[in-house]
Amino acid sequence: MGKYKDITVILFIVIIGIFIPFIGSIIISFGIDFTELNNWLKIGVAFGYFLLIFGVELLAVYIYFILTNKLAEKKMGKYKP
């Protein structure tokens, strides 16, 4: 159970690490006033979409590695005595 807690903490730190530059770039690029609550909602929605797209990308990479691993194991199985 401890390793899942560690992974969760690491993922949370990574998400925070992604959010800080993301919010800075949004504020600088579009000149958003970060003192208004409505602008924070816009930033939050944009970051949510970013995480969703990033998650789909990670899922595609995970599926790719699973498939290539199965193919490699199948090929290696032929060479085992």
Side-chain angles (χ1 to χ4, degrees):
M1 185 67 184
K3 71 177 182 178
Y4 295 118
K5 184 179 177 187
D6 293 341
I7 290 172
T8 305
V9 170
I10 289 170
L11 284 174
F12 182 72
I13 291 170
V14 167
I15 288 173
I16 295 297
I18 291 172
F19 184 70
I20 293 169
F22 180 80
I23 191 171
S25 65
I26 292 290
I27 289 171
I28 292 169
S29 295
F30 299 111
I32 293 178
D33 182 18
F34 64 91
T35 59
E36 294 183 25
L37 184 60
N38 189 30
N39 289 336
W40 279 102
L41 182 62
K42 290 177 185 177
I43 292 170
V45 169
F47 189 67
Y49 284 132
F50 171 78
L51 287 179
L52 181 68
I53 293 168
F54 188 68
V56 169
E57 180 186 0
L58 284 178
L59 182 65
V61 169
Y62 180 72
I63 290 171
Y64 169 77
F65 278 116
I66 287 177
L67 291 176
T68 56
N69 186 30
K70 286 184 180 184
L71 289 173
E73 285 179 358
K74 188 176 180 180
K75 287 182 181 179
M76 291 300 291
K78 292 179 183 178
Y79 299 114
K80 287 185 178 179

